[in-house]
mmCIF file of all heavy atoms in Angstrom:
data_model
loop_
_atom_site.group_PDB
_atom_site.id
_atom_site.type_symbol
_atom_site.label_atom_id
_atom_site.label_comp_id
_atom_site.label_asym_id
_atom_site.label_seq_id
_atom_site.Cartn_x
_atom_site.Cartn_y
_atom_site.Cartn_z
ATOM 1 N N MET A 383 98.878 117.787 100.315
ATOM 2 C CA MET A 383 98.613 117.052 101.553
ATOM 3 C C MET A 383 99.811 117.057 102.464
ATOM 4 O O MET A 383 100.940 116.870 102.040
ATOM 5 C CB MET A 383 98.242 115.590 101.220
ATOM 6 C CG MET A 383 97.762 114.806 102.402
ATOM 7 S SD MET A 383 97.057 113.190 101.900
ATOM 8 C CE MET A 383 95.609 113.698 101.020
ATOM 9 N N HIS A 384 99.583 117.361 103.761
ATOM 10 C CA HIS A 384 100.664 117.560 104.685
ATOM 11 C C HIS A 384 100.694 116.491 105.780
ATOM 12 O O HIS A 384 101.694 116.337 106.473
ATOM 13 C CB HIS A 384 100.611 118.939 105.356
ATOM 14 C CG HIS A 384 100.745 120.080 104.381
ATOM 15 N ND1 HIS A 384 101.933 120.502 103.906
ATOM 16 C CD2 HIS A 384 99.781 120.847 103.778
ATOM 17 C CE1 HIS A 384 101.751 121.492 103.052
ATOM 18 N NE2 HIS A 384 100.462 121.713 102.949
ATOM 19 N N THR A 385 99.609 115.790 105.995
ATOM 20 C CA THR A 385 99.548 114.806 107.093
ATOM 21 C C THR A 385 98.805 113.523 106.667
ATOM 22 O O THR A 385 97.917 113.569 105.802
ATOM 23 C CB THR A 385 98.806 115.392 108.309
ATOM 24 O OG1 THR A 385 97.494 115.832 107.898
ATOM 25 C CG2 THR A 385 99.554 116.596 108.879
ATOM 26 N N PHE A 427 101.828 110.708 110.410
ATOM 27 C CA PHE A 427 102.932 111.364 109.689
ATOM 28 C C PHE A 427 102.553 112.814 109.411
ATOM 29 O O PHE A 427 101.479 113.130 108.900
ATOM 30 C CB PHE A 427 103.222 110.675 108.376
ATOM 31 C CG PHE A 427 103.604 109.234 108.499
ATOM 32 C CD1 PHE A 427 102.605 108.218 108.466
ATOM 33 C CD2 PHE A 427 104.915 108.843 108.696
ATOM 34 C CE1 PHE A 427 102.956 106.891 108.608
ATOM 35 C CE2 PHE A 427 105.249 107.487 108.821
ATOM 36 C CZ PHE A 427 104.288 106.521 108.781
ATOM 37 N N GLU A 428 103.454 113.718 109.729
ATOM 38 C CA GLU A 428 103.276 115.137 109.465
ATOM 39 C C GLU A 428 104.512 115.607 108.679
ATOM 40 O O GLU A 428 105.641 115.588 109.176
ATOM 41 C CB GLU A 428 103.124 115.965 110.732
ATOM 42 C CG GLU A 428 102.907 117.435 110.460
ATOM 43 C CD GLU A 428 102.787 118.236 111.746
ATOM 44 O OE1 GLU A 428 102.696 117.606 112.863
ATOM 45 O OE2 GLU A 428 102.705 119.479 111.695
ATOM 46 N N ARG A 429 104.290 116.030 107.443
ATOM 47 C CA ARG A 429 105.384 116.459 106.567
ATOM 48 C C ARG A 429 105.966 117.772 107.075
ATOM 49 O O ARG A 429 105.250 118.683 107.483
ATOM 50 C CB ARG A 429 104.904 116.604 105.134
ATOM 51 C CG ARG A 429 105.952 116.859 104.122
ATOM 52 C CD ARG A 429 105.405 116.972 102.712
ATOM 53 N NE ARG A 429 104.543 118.117 102.598
ATOM 54 C CZ ARG A 429 103.805 118.394 101.515
ATOM 55 N NH1 ARG A 429 103.806 117.536 100.488
ATOM 56 N NH2 ARG A 429 103.063 119.482 101.449
ATOM 57 N N THR A 430 107.283 117.893 106.989
ATOM 58 C CA THR A 430 107.959 119.153 107.354
ATOM 59 C C THR A 430 108.808 119.597 106.147
ATOM 60 O O THR A 430 109.160 118.800 105.272
ATOM 61 C CB THR A 430 108.879 118.960 108.567
ATOM 62 O OG1 THR A 430 109.922 118.033 108.239
ATOM 63 C CG2 THR A 430 108.096 118.456 109.741
ATOM 64 N N HIS A 431 109.133 120.885 106.109
ATOM 65 C CA HIS A 431 109.899 121.416 105.000
ATOM 66 C C HIS A 431 111.392 121.308 105.229
ATOM 67 O O HIS A 431 112.196 121.398 104.274
ATOM 68 C CB HIS A 431 109.539 122.901 104.773
ATOM 69 C CG HIS A 431 108.130 123.074 104.296
ATOM 70 N ND1 HIS A 431 107.683 122.601 103.078
ATOM 71 C CD2 HIS A 431 107.029 123.660 104.874
ATOM 72 C CE1 HIS A 431 106.374 122.878 102.928
ATOM 73 N NE2 HIS A 431 106.018 123.523 104.018
ATOM 74 N N SER A 432 111.798 121.037 106.464
ATOM 75 C CA SER A 432 113.206 120.709 106.719
ATOM 76 C C SER A 432 113.390 119.236 106.510
ATOM 77 O O SER A 432 112.431 118.491 106.417
ATOM 78 C CB SER A 432 113.605 121.093 108.152
ATOM 79 O OG SER A 432 113.004 120.171 109.061
ATOM 80 N N ALA A 433 114.648 118.794 106.429
ATOM 81 C CA ALA A 433 114.933 117.401 106.166
ATOM 82 C C ALA A 433 114.940 116.557 107.447
ATOM 83 O O ALA A 433 115.211 115.352 107.433
ATOM 84 C CB ALA A 433 116.276 117.238 105.448
ATOM 85 N N GLN A 434 114.604 117.182 108.583
ATOM 86 C CA GLN A 434 114.689 116.507 109.860
ATOM 87 C C GLN A 434 113.631 115.408 109.979
ATOM 88 O O GLN A 434 112.475 115.587 109.546
ATOM 89 C CB GLN A 434 114.560 117.500 110.988
ATOM 90 C CG GLN A 434 114.725 116.851 112.397
ATOM 91 C CD GLN A 434 114.640 117.897 113.493
ATOM 92 O OE1 GLN A 434 114.421 119.079 113.260
ATOM 93 N NE2 GLN A 434 114.841 117.415 114.731
ATOM 94 N N ILE A 435 114.012 114.303 110.606
ATOM 95 C CA ILE A 435 113.101 113.204 110.860
ATOM 96 C C ILE A 435 113.013 112.986 112.393
ATOM 97 O O ILE A 435 114.064 112.835 113.013
ATOM 98 C CB ILE A 435 113.581 111.907 110.161
ATOM 99 C CG1 ILE A 435 113.516 112.082 108.668
ATOM 100 C CG2 ILE A 435 112.701 110.705 110.611
ATOM 101 C CD1 ILE A 435 114.261 110.986 107.919
ATOM 102 N N SER A 436 111.842 113.006 112.919
ATOM 103 C CA SER A 436 111.675 112.793 114.364
ATOM 104 C C SER A 436 110.565 111.779 114.575
ATOM 105 O O SER A 436 109.721 111.528 113.720
ATOM 106 C CB SER A 436 111.317 114.117 115.103
ATOM 107 O OG SER A 436 110.072 114.609 114.614
ATOM 108 N N ALA A 457 112.592 106.080 106.958
ATOM 109 C CA ALA A 457 112.484 107.426 106.416
ATOM 110 C C ALA A 457 113.833 107.933 105.920
ATOM 111 O O ALA A 457 113.946 108.532 104.855
ATOM 112 C CB ALA A 457 111.916 108.367 107.500
ATOM 113 N N GLN A 458 114.883 107.640 106.677
ATOM 114 C CA GLN A 458 116.217 108.057 106.262
ATOM 115 C C GLN A 458 116.650 107.336 104.991
ATOM 116 O O GLN A 458 117.280 107.967 104.085
ATOM 117 C CB GLN A 458 117.203 107.781 107.393
ATOM 118 C CG GLN A 458 116.984 108.687 108.637
ATOM 119 C CD GLN A 458 117.792 108.192 109.855
ATOM 120 O OE1 GLN A 458 118.238 107.057 109.912
ATOM 121 N NE2 GLN A 458 117.968 109.073 110.810
ATOM 122 N N GLN A 461 114.943 108.938 102.000
ATOM 123 C CA GLN A 461 115.594 110.189 101.675
ATOM 124 C C GLN A 461 116.868 109.928 100.877
ATOM 125 O O GLN A 461 117.128 110.553 99.856
ATOM 126 C CB GLN A 461 115.945 110.976 102.942
ATOM 127 C CG GLN A 461 114.798 111.705 103.588
ATOM 128 C CD GLN A 461 115.236 112.503 104.831
ATOM 129 O OE1 GLN A 461 116.164 112.059 105.510
ATOM 130 N NE2 GLN A 461 114.576 113.585 105.137
ATOM 131 N N GLY A 465 117.051 111.355 97.258
ATOM 132 C CA GLY A 465 117.522 112.713 97.363
ATOM 133 C C GLY A 465 116.476 113.681 97.873
ATOM 134 O O GLY A 465 116.605 114.909 97.762
ATOM 135 N N CYS A 466 115.402 113.174 98.463
ATOM 136 C CA CYS A 466 114.334 113.997 98.969
ATOM 137 C C CYS A 466 114.811 114.872 100.121
ATOM 138 O O CYS A 466 115.523 114.378 101.007
ATOM 139 C CB CYS A 466 113.127 113.142 99.417
ATOM 140 S SG CYS A 466 111.746 114.032 100.100
ATOM 141 N N THR A 467 114.456 116.148 100.069
ATOM 142 C CA THR A 467 114.886 117.080 101.110
ATOM 143 C C THR A 467 113.779 117.442 102.099
ATOM 144 O O THR A 467 113.941 118.291 102.953
ATOM 145 C CB THR A 467 115.422 118.367 100.497
ATOM 146 O OG1 THR A 467 114.399 118.955 99.677
ATOM 147 C CG2 THR A 467 116.639 118.095 99.631
ATOM 148 N N GLN A 468 112.629 116.745 101.965
ATOM 149 C CA GLN A 468 111.558 116.969 102.930
ATOM 150 C C GLN A 468 111.803 116.109 104.150
ATOM 151 O O GLN A 468 112.552 115.139 104.076
ATOM 152 C CB GLN A 468 110.201 116.603 102.289
ATOM 153 C CG GLN A 468 109.859 117.451 101.053
ATOM 154 C CD GLN A 468 108.584 116.982 100.432
ATOM 155 O OE1 GLN A 468 107.501 117.272 100.912
ATOM 156 N NE2 GLN A 468 108.683 116.264 99.302
ATOM 157 N N GLY A 469 111.169 116.449 105.236
ATOM 158 C CA GLY A 469 111.282 115.692 106.478
ATOM 159 C C GLY A 469 109.940 115.255 106.965
ATOM 160 O O GLY A 469 108.916 115.443 106.290
ATOM 161 N N VAL A 470 109.904 114.683 108.172
ATOM 162 C CA VAL A 470 108.636 114.202 108.702
ATOM 163 C C VAL A 470 108.688 114.059 110.217
ATOM 164 O O VAL A 470 109.755 113.800 110.770
ATOM 165 C CB VAL A 470 108.255 112.837 108.060
ATOM 166 C CG1 VAL A 470 109.248 111.750 108.494
ATOM 167 C CG2 VAL A 470 106.837 112.417 108.372
ATOM 168 N N ARG A 471 107.586 114.294 110.858
ATOM 169 C CA ARG A 471 107.394 113.956 112.247
ATOM 170 C C ARG A 471 106.527 112.701 112.273
ATOM 171 O O ARG A 471 105.398 112.724 111.741
ATOM 172 C CB ARG A 471 106.737 115.110 113.006
ATOM 173 C CG ARG A 471 107.704 116.246 113.325
ATOM 174 C CD ARG A 471 107.080 117.285 114.245
ATOM 175 N NE ARG A 471 106.139 118.124 113.529
ATOM 176 C CZ ARG A 471 106.450 119.285 112.972
ATOM 177 N NH1 ARG A 471 107.689 119.724 113.003
ATOM 178 N NH2 ARG A 471 105.552 120.009 112.329
ATOM 179 N N ILE A 472 107.031 111.653 112.920
ATOM 180 C CA ILE A 472 106.309 110.360 112.976
ATOM 181 C C ILE A 472 105.867 110.130 114.409
ATOM 182 O O ILE A 472 106.646 110.333 115.364
ATOM 183 C CB ILE A 472 107.219 109.227 112.537
ATOM 184 C CG1 ILE A 472 107.804 109.482 111.156
ATOM 185 C CG2 ILE A 472 106.454 107.898 112.571
ATOM 186 C CD1 ILE A 472 108.861 108.458 110.727
ATOM 187 N N ALA A 497 103.766 105.286 103.208
ATOM 188 C CA ALA A 497 103.136 106.570 103.535
ATOM 189 C C ALA A 497 103.983 107.740 103.032
ATOM 190 O O ALA A 497 103.464 108.685 102.467
ATOM 191 C CB ALA A 497 102.883 106.674 105.021
ATOM 192 N N LEU A 498 105.312 107.666 103.256
ATOM 193 C CA LEU A 498 106.169 108.770 102.856
ATOM 194 C C LEU A 498 106.345 108.831 101.344
ATOM 195 O O LEU A 498 106.516 109.923 100.770
ATOM 196 C CB LEU A 498 107.523 108.676 103.525
ATOM 197 C CG LEU A 498 107.512 108.872 105.068
ATOM 198 C CD1 LEU A 498 108.915 108.802 105.658
ATOM 199 C CD2 LEU A 498 106.810 110.175 105.449
ATOM 200 N N LEU A 501 103.310 110.858 100.751
ATOM 201 C CA LEU A 501 103.345 112.165 101.371
ATOM 202 C C LEU A 501 104.375 113.084 100.711
ATOM 203 O O LEU A 501 104.141 114.288 100.567
ATOM 204 C CB LEU A 501 103.609 112.031 102.888
ATOM 205 C CG LEU A 501 103.366 113.229 103.757
ATOM 206 C CD1 LEU A 501 101.882 113.609 103.796
ATOM 207 C CD2 LEU A 501 103.844 112.946 105.206
ATOM 208 N N TRP A 502 105.519 112.493 100.364
ATOM 209 C CA TRP A 502 106.580 113.257 99.709
ATOM 210 C C TRP A 502 106.423 113.248 98.166
ATOM 211 O O TRP A 502 107.312 113.792 97.497
ATOM 212 C CB TRP A 502 107.957 112.668 100.091
ATOM 213 C CG TRP A 502 108.319 112.901 101.542
ATOM 214 C CD1 TRP A 502 107.770 113.789 102.398
ATOM 215 C CD2 TRP A 502 109.373 112.209 102.283
ATOM 216 N NE1 TRP A 502 108.379 113.688 103.635
ATOM 217 C CE2 TRP A 502 109.393 112.741 103.579
ATOM 218 C CE3 TRP A 502 110.277 111.194 101.949
ATOM 219 C CZ2 TRP A 502 110.259 112.319 104.549
ATOM 220 C CZ3 TRP A 502 111.163 110.769 102.912
ATOM 221 C CH2 TRP A 502 111.158 111.326 104.213
#
Side-chain angles (χ1 to χ4, degrees):
M383 187 170 294
H384 297 281
T385 57
F427 301 91
E428 182 180 354
R429 188 178 66 186
T430 63
H431 294 295
S432 73
Q434 184 177 1
I435 295 167
S436 63
Q458 292 168 341
Q461 283 180 329
C466 180
T467 58
Q468 300 175 76
V470 67
R471 284 189 283 268
I472 305 172
L498 294 183
L501 194 64
W502 291 343

